[in-house]
Amino acid sequence: MASASSSFLLLLLVVVASASAWCSRAAPAGAQVTRVPGFGGAQLPSKHYAGYVTVDEAHGRRLFYYLVESERDPAKDPLVLWLNGGPGCSSFDGFVYEHGPFNFESGGSAGSLPKLHLNPYSWSKVSSVVYLDSPAGVGLSYSKNVSDYETGDLKTAADSHTFLLKWFQLYPEFLNNPFYIAGESYAGVYVPTLSHEVVKGIHEGVKPTINFKGYMVGNGVCDTAFDGNALVPFAHGMGLISDDIYKEANTACQGNYWNGSSDKCEQALSRVDTAVQGLNIYDILEPCYHSKSIKQVIPQKSRAPQSFKDLGVTGKPLPVRTRMIGRAWPLRAPVKEGRVPSWQELAVAAPSGVPCMSDEVATAWLNNDGVRSAIHAEPVSSIGPWLICTDKLDFRHDAGSMIIYHKNLTSQGYRALIFSGDHDMCVPYTGTEAWTTSLGYGVVDSWRPWFTNEQVSGYTQGYEKGLTFATIKGAGHTVPEYKPQEALAFYSRWLAGSKL
């Protein structure tokens, strides 16, 4: 009996010590965000921290982060790093428009401070989330040496790994939390390459040791051939092109649509392009408004639209973005080895003229002097205005196909969730489904619907080695923006190790 009492007391002391360690916090002085301009609530549902981590002292290369602690149990809940794509787009896109702690309401006039309301589907309900602007030059991240803006996949991954190692030194209380890396679109490259760097660091004994468990990618680019060949079968399956147009293209191109090798193939593909050119590439269900003018962006390069992510009518309660996108990214144009053009270049070069896009809410908030001060970001006068997608970078895709990265990571036991909004025509689910199948893993959870509130929310298939593929029914390119409730559902289940 005495032995049992001693064991209980020892266990109690361990629990108390752990709780005390968490409460004693090691967060850097001055990093806590104590007020959020635009939010009128009595208090935040969890603690927020923000600031810079210098990844290159000599160059003054600094990456900006915003941490939202879990509203449930930050001491035990997973920690997730979120990356938006581009390349060159700020992760505040995810914070403002997708799964951040707030829903943003326009202030009522151009440039006025938006009103912030709590988001019932924030991913901070079940996890702590770090939103990272990467690489330097994106969002609120910057370098004092402009040569750093010539970058690419591998340098971005190395810098982000350096960021993580230094960040965990600043926040050692999170070292024991399960850690995941997540992102969408061009983060289909960012996420696997950074995951690779993290795992390599773990194997090499780099300290601190990151408790990395897995990663997730939404509507992410992966492989030149798989991505480039996805559109035609997608368009046919969605009823956007006829059987005759599909058969003509399939016969003439022999299934190789992204790199047509004959005049007949190009002619057949031009019929496909003509049939779908009036659609919103990021969500074929949503309107596409065309305009003859492109709004001028000041003070950076003139007549360049501010982003590429104005997507479609959202499931969120506050419709804060006007969807005016069209076809900024060329159809059947996968990311290839070499220089990746900026979204602004692609938009300006579009043959019909792609209209400007409305990111006024995020832009007004992040360029407000009070907001910059509250979140510990450098002022506009120092680093310039925040743009959702920058045109500062000279970016190169130099990591090759992501398939080898996915094979390497999953074969080592790291879990992976690959999800697709099934109405995205930019990175169609058909290509993603094809490359996940190509890995050759056995099926352990056969194709089936998954549900939210007893309604079909999409379809999923589970594979060996912890790989899961899922679609989200009716969602576009940025899934949580279109289907926030369903996104929180699959996110929560996957993090918990449950089936979708």
Side-chain angles (χ1 to χ4, degrees):
M1 186 69 176
S3 176
S5 298
S6 299
S7 298
F8 175 76
L9 286 172
L10 180 60
L11 177 61
L12 184 61
L13 285 171
V14 170
V15 171
V16 171
S18 298
S20 298
W22 178 263
C23 292
S24 64
R25 307 304 307 253
Q32 186 171 356
V33 178
T34 57
R35 63 180 185 88
V36 178
F39 177 64
Q43 66 179 36
L44 297 172
S46 68
K47 291 183 178 180
H48 294 195
Y49 297 86
Y52 287 94
V53 169
T54 301
V55 296
D56 187 322
E57 296 284 352
H59 280 200
R61 192 159 71 248
R62 306 179 76 202
L63 300 185
F64 187 85
Y65 70 91
Y66 194 110
L67 164 65
V68 183
E69 279 194 354
S70 173
E71 298 174 28
R72 187 174 61 182
D73 187 353
K76 296 180 180 178
D77 283 341
L79 173 69
V80 177
L81 178 75
W82 175 261
L83 301 167
N84 275 96
C89 296
S90 170
S91 291
F92 274 103
D93 188 5
F95 181 92
V96 174
Y97 295 117
E98 299 186 57
H99 42 62
F102 307 109
N103 287 323
F104 285 67
E105 179 183 2
S106 172
S109 60
S112 62
L113 188 67
K115 300 174 184 177
L116 278 58
H117 309 271
L118 293 179
N119 176 12
Y121 304 116
S122 172
W123 283 8
S124 61
K125 295 291 181 184
V126 297
S127 67
S128 297
V129 184
V130 179
Y131 296 87
L132 174 64
D133 275 345
S134 175
V138 172
L140 298 173
S141 296
Y142 68 96
S143 177
K144 294 181 180 178
N145 188 325
V146 295
S147 68
D148 287 335
Y149 298 151
E150 295 181 14
T151 188
D153 302 329
L154 300 180
K155 181 180 176 182
T156 297
D159 270 3
S160 296
H161 184 221
T162 299
F163 165 85
L164 286 174
L165 293 172
K166 292 191 171 187
W167 189 90
F168 276 110
Q169 290 175 346
L170 295 173
Y171 297 87
E173 63 269 27
F174 285 101
L175 276 169
N176 291 327
N177 296 61
F179 177 66
Y180 296 88
I181 301 173
E184 67 193 9
S185 194
Y186 197 82
V189 175
Y190 290 162
V191 171
T193 52
L194 175 55
S195 297
H196 172 76
E197 289 295 314
V198 169
V199 171
K200 183 172 70 171
I202 294 170
H203 289 166
E204 293 174 352
V206 175
K207 301 297 180 183
T209 303
I210 297 174
N211 190 22
F212 181 61
K213 297 298 183 183
Y215 61 97
M216 58 186 81
V217 175
N219 289 83
V221 299
C222 174
D223 174 86
T224 299
F226 279 108
D227 294 345
N229 288 331
L231 173 69
V232 174
F234 172 85
H236 182 236
M238 286 290 178
L240 307 180
I241 59 175
S242 68
D243 284 346
D244 288 343
I245 293 175
Y246 174 70
K247 289 175 182 176
E248 178 189 4
N250 192 37
T251 300
C253 303
Q254 297 182 330
N256 184 25
Y257 306 113
W258 72 274
N259 190 21
S261 56
S262 68
D263 289 341
K264 282 189 175 181
C265 177
E266 290 299 331
Q267 291 170 7
L269 292 176
S270 70
R271 294 188 66 192
V272 175
D273 291 354
T274 299
V276 302
Q277 66 182 358
L279 296 171
N280 183 334
I281 190 173
Y282 298 110
D283 188 331
I284 63 171
L285 299 178
E286 299 304 334
C288 181
Y289 302 99
H290 291 286
S291 162
K292 294 181 179 179
S293 63
I294 297 176
K295 185 173 69 176
Q296 187 173 2
V297 174
I298 299 173
Q300 297 200 340
K301 296 178 182 178
S302 64
R303 306 197 70 76
Q306 292 192 11
S307 83
F308 74 100
K309 284 185 175 296
D310 293 339
L311 296 177
V313 175
T314 173
K316 286 195 172 185
L318 301 169
V320 294
R321 281 209 266 192
T322 303
R323 276 52 188 179
M324 301 177 67
I325 168 63
R327 253 193 330 130
W329 191 265
L331 294 169
R332 296 180 290 99
V335 175
K336 301 178 183 178
E337 200 76 12
R339 185 177 181 275
V340 182
S342 73
W343 289 95
Q344 288 88 342
E345 290 176 75
L346 290 167
V348 170
S352 59
V354 177
C356 66
M357 295 172 241
S358 172
D359 285 301
E360 276 83 0
V361 170
T363 302
W365 193 69
L366 287 159
N367 288 326
N368 179 279
D369 289 339
V371 172
R372 291 277 184 111
S373 176
I375 66 174
H376 320 304
E378 293 289 338
V380 175
S381 60
S382 176
I383 61 171
W386 178 90
L387 296 176
I388 198 165
C389 294
T390 186
D391 58 358
K392 289 181 182 178
L393 301 184
D394 185 3
F395 194 95
R396 299 188 70 81
H397 175 45
D398 54 14
S401 171
M402 291 299 103
I403 289 177
I404 190 171
Y405 286 86
H406 289 295
K407 280 187 174 180
N408 180 274
L409 291 164
T410 53
S411 67
Q412 295 183 68
Y414 295 104
R415 298 171 60 226
L417 172 62
I418 312 298
F419 62 92
S420 290
D422 65 6
H423 282 69
D424 176 26
M425 195 164 62
C426 180
V427 185
Y429 78 91
T430 44
T432 307
E433 183 184 0
W435 75 251
T436 52
T437 301
S438 78
L439 297 181
Y441 296 155
V443 175
V444 297
D445 185 11
S446 297
W447 186 269
R448 61 173 176 81
W450 65 276
F451 298 83
T452 307
N453 293 334
E454 301 182 347
Q455 298 295 318
V456 174
S457 297
Y459 293 84
T460 183
Q461 183 151 291
Y463 296 89
E464 296 171 332
K465 303 187 185 297
L467 174 67
T468 301
F469 170 71
T471 66
I472 295 82
K473 182 169 66 72
H477 191 61
T478 50
V479 169
E481 182 172 12
Y482 294 96
K483 298 291 182 181
Q485 184 177 18
E486 292 84 349
L488 179 60
F490 76 68
Y491 178 82
S492 304
R493 294 170 194 173
W494 188 79
L495 285 179
S498 304
K499 289 186 177 181
L500 300 192

